[in-house]
Amino acid sequence: MKVRWLVSTLLALGLMVSALATPKYFVVSKKTYPAAPESDLTKAKCTVCHVKGKELNVYGKDLQKALQEKKTKDLTAEILKSIEKLDSDKDGVSNGDELKAGTLPGDPKSKPAGK
Ligand SMILES: [Ca+2]
C-alpha cells in the first residue's frame, strides 16, 4: 500500500517537473509566429534562438538585447515584434518576414523561397 502511494507521488512530481521544464519562450514564440509543421521554423525548435544548449545564435542575441532593454526576462509578443525590422542573420530578409514565412532569422541558409 505504501509503495503504491510512493510510486504515484513520484509520478505526479515527475509530471510537475516536466511541465516546469517546458520552455516558456518557446511557447510564446510559437503562439506569436505560428508556422507550418514542415517549415524550417517548426523543425528548428530551440535552435531558432540557440546554437546548442544555452548558447545563443545571432537572432537569440538580438532577442536577449531587447529583453535587457525592457529590463525583463518575461518574453512577450511585443518584445518579439520589436526586433522584426532587424535582419539578425544578415541574409537580406528581415526577422519579421522570415518568421512569418516560417524560416530562421538566425540562420542565413534559411530564408523565404525566391529571396
Ligand atoms: Ca534574415
Side-chain angles (χ1 to χ4, degrees):
M1 203 60 182
K2 263 190 178 171
V3 172
R4 186 183 271 178
W5 179 85
L6 186 66
V7 168
S8 57
T9 304
L10 287 176
L11 272 176
L13 280 174
L15 287 175
M16 279 159 63
V17 169
S18 64
L20 284 174
T22 303
K24 193 186 165 211
Y25 284 18
F26 182 66
V27 175
V28 174
S29 309
K30 268 197 98 164
K31 214 171 167 186
T32 309
Y33 303 110
E38 70 279 5
S39 66
D40 286 355
L41 190 58
T42 302
K43 286 185 201 154
K45 296 189 174 129
C46 302
T47 60
V48 174
C49 296
H50 294 267
V51 179
K52 56 182 175 187
K54 283 190 169 180
E55 197 182 322
L56 295 167
N57 65 27
V58 283
Y59 176 70
K61 283 178 185 162
D62 280 341
L63 194 55
Q64 185 181 46
K65 213 184 290 169
L67 284 160
Q68 285 166 348
E69 279 166 14
K70 291 263 182 195
K71 298 184 179 18
T72 182
K73 286 183 176 173
D74 203 12
L75 185 65
T76 61
E78 287 67 38
I79 293 173
L80 282 166
K81 286 175 182 167
S82 75
I83 60 164
E84 280 187 350
K85 288 202 171 83
L86 301 178
D87 176 11
S88 297
D89 58 11
K90 309 271 184 268
D91 62 1
V93 186
S94 72
N95 295 339
D97 284 350
E98 294 220 48
L99 290 160
K100 284 166 201 160
T103 62
L104 302 173
D107 180 356
K109 291 188 290 288
S110 166
K111 54 181 174 178
K115 297 236 178 177

